[in-house]
Amino acid sequence: MQSSIPAGVAALIAFLFGGPLLAEPAPLPPAVVGLELISGWQTADGAHVAAIEMRLAPGWHTYWRVPGLSGIPPTFDWSASRNLASVAYEWPRPALFDSFGVPTIGFKDALVLPVILTPETIGEPIEATVTLQFGVCRDICIPAEARLTARLGATAPPEGRAAIERALAARPLDAGAAGVTRARCDLAPAGPGREIIVEITFDAPPGRDLTTVIEAEGRPDLWIGQTETRTEGRAVHATARLDALDPGGLALDRGALRLTLLDTTRAIDIRGCPAD
């Protein structure tokens, strides 16, 4: 699976979305029956747990942060917010499904995406504004854009806590909880580009019908192609093609690699993948 997209595909997406973020987002397509920023609650350290909730018409889906070979990756712009220092996304486990004969990663019918918002000044409200661009698909795919706002403060009553907590409980397992004992990544020449070779070892056989997603975080200039995955005993082996917009920019920080293993019942999130 890919962790970013080739320049030509990126240009196509930019064309479909109309280029830069619009001053006034267009009306949502009818497939999006509900979209809001749930205010959530404030934590003891002053951060705020909120969520973006999207409800879709039956049969429609939207995409995970890595959508697969043909999907539209969602983007989020919080720059219009006030008193907001940082945003962390807590993606729930996505589903694997077929979209026009192509493997796709996303969410059918609904998505609750928890976000942890840290204020610049603790104790002061966060005036949260997020502009998001995303795609929704069924028989056709439609790009969409929306702007959501909420005033988040300690005095506001908690909203949507049960839905947010369910989404947090559905996050992928980390490496330790999943029984990962070792993750190793190597690079090998592959024509003008390179190939990423991954080996993940578990303390018990992990199952056979796994899909591996490889991401190079902080490297939008890199494109990671479809991943081939196989299981042998307690080890999962995966390979994927790696290309860069600049052919000289294929140097890779293995500590910034993020591996996600998916099957129909669970997801495993592995941060960092050193060589031996």
Side-chain angles (χ1 to χ4, degrees):
M1 292 291 177
Q2 63 188 41
S3 63
S4 59
I5 50 179
V9 179
L12 175 61
I13 292 173
F15 170 77
L16 291 172
F17 275 114
L21 296 177
L22 303 175
E24 290 297 333
L28 288 171
V32 182
V33 298
L35 184 63
E36 62 181 310
L37 181 58
I38 304 174
S39 61
W41 67 93
Q42 191 175 62
T43 63
D45 62 3
H48 212 97
V49 182
I52 296 168
E53 181 182 34
M54 185 185 304
R55 299 183 301 279
L56 303 175
W60 287 80
H61 65 264
T62 191
Y63 294 102
W64 187 49
R65 64 171 189 265
V66 180
L69 291 178
S70 64
I72 299 172
T75 65
F76 307 90
D77 180 3
W78 298 84
S79 60
S81 300
R82 296 183 180 180
N83 193 35
L84 180 61
S86 64
V87 181
Y89 302 95
E90 300 289 346
W91 286 92
R93 178 177 65 85
L96 292 166
F97 49 92
D98 180 89
S99 180
F100 313 112
V102 178
T104 302
I105 310 172
F107 305 89
K108 288 186 176 181
D109 300 335
L111 166 65
V112 175
L113 172 58
V115 290
I116 312 302
L117 307 177
T118 301
E120 293 178 341
T121 303
I122 301 296
E124 295 294 325
I126 298 172
E127 303 290 346
T129 297
V130 57
T131 301
L132 58 149
Q133 292 182 321
F134 59 98
V136 292
C137 289
R138 192 175 67 175
D139 299 325
I140 60 172
C141 289
I142 303 173
E145 180 180 345
R147 180 181 294 119
L148 307 176
T149 63
R151 190 174 193 270
L152 311 177
T155 59
E159 177 188 334
R161 184 164 193 143
I164 297 174
E165 288 182 338
R166 283 194 298 271
L168 289 171
R171 287 174 295 180
L173 300 172
D174 63 26
V180 174
T181 59
R182 182 189 185 210
R184 169 186 170 181
C185 291
D186 289 314
L187 297 179
R194 293 189 182 183
E195 185 177 58
I196 300 179
I197 303 170
V198 175
E199 181 180 352
I200 304 167
T201 305
F202 289 79
D203 57 10
R208 305 197 65 84
D209 297 323
L210 292 167
T211 295
T212 307
V213 180
I214 306 173
E215 301 170 71
E217 295 189 307
R219 293 294 305 273
D221 59 313
L222 296 181
W223 181 78
I224 300 175
Q226 184 171 359
T227 304
E228 296 184 3
T229 304
R230 74 181 193 280
T231 301
E232 294 181 356
R234 295 186 295 111
V236 173
H237 302 269
T239 58
R241 175 67 181 253
L242 172 68
D243 288 290
L245 297 180
D246 176 3
L250 282 172
L252 185 63
D253 176 10
R254 290 172 176 82
L257 286 176
R258 186 173 187 177
L259 312 176
T260 306
L261 294 177
L262 298 167
D263 62 20
T264 57
T265 62
R266 64 174 178 165
I268 301 166
D269 188 18
I270 302 170
R271 303 294 190 95
C273 186
D276 270 347

